[in-house]
Amino acid sequence: MTMMRTLSIVKPDAVHKNVIGQIISRFEKNNLQVVAAKMVTLSEREAKEFYEVHKERPFYQDLVSFMTSGPVFIMVLEGENAVEKNREIMGATDPKKAADGTIRKDFADSIDANAVHGSDSLENAKIEIAFFFDAKDLQTRTYASCR
Ligand code: IDP
Ligand code: MG
């Protein structure tokens, strides 16, 4: 068990459904903490670069069009085994195959519009976090109560 960070994106379909809060709530209930967040509309260039690993896949252009179709909500999540835990909470890529209680089972409509992105390895998490956030924008979740 090691503390780690991962990148999560609430995709345009889930933002449109107004379920950003319900999605964050699932992470929080599973002890993942938000340490950075922003809402942006990705440019064509950003979406293409972010999903470059898929550029030879037949769905690449559709994926880029979908990811730029409306705002996305991008977060860095921190916690024990954050990468793996996030993938479990998200569920399978195809919502038809996603387990009960997962985000994709409950909020995704199709394999294209599947509600969330999550990094698939620690190595990719580091690359993806750096793609969207400067190191100084990642918070340390300390708290000192003021009496
Ligand atoms: P992941 O999001 O579960 O990691 P990947 O295989 O990395 O899945 O694919 C990235 C994204 O590309 C998926 O989340 C989905 O939006 C889209 N995608 C993947 N496979 C297909 C497909 O067969 N048809 C259409 N879109 C797909
Ligand atoms: Mg992936």
Side-chain angles (χ1 to χ4, degrees), residues 11 51 53-54 57 59 62-63 66-67 87 90-94 104 111-114 116-118 120:
K11 294 185 177 183
Y51 278 116
V53 290
H54 295 304
R57 310 282 288 274
F59 57 80
D62 286 345
L63 176 60
F66 166 62
M67 288 301 288
R87 296 292 307 193
M90 286 164 61
T93 309
D94 182 352
R104 283 169 165 169
I111 195 166
D112 314 65
N114 62 359
V116 278
H117 166 85
D120 63 4

Side-chain angles (χ1 to χ4, degrees), residues 110-138:
S110 67
I111 195 166
D112 314 65
N114 62 359
V116 278
H117 166 85
S119 309
D120 63 4
S121 66
L122 186 54
E123 191 192 356
N124 283 336
K126 287 179 180 162
I127 295 167
E128 291 179 0
I129 290 167
F131 188 85
F132 288 116
F133 296 94
D134 292 336
K136 69 169 171 47
D137 296 326
L138 305 182

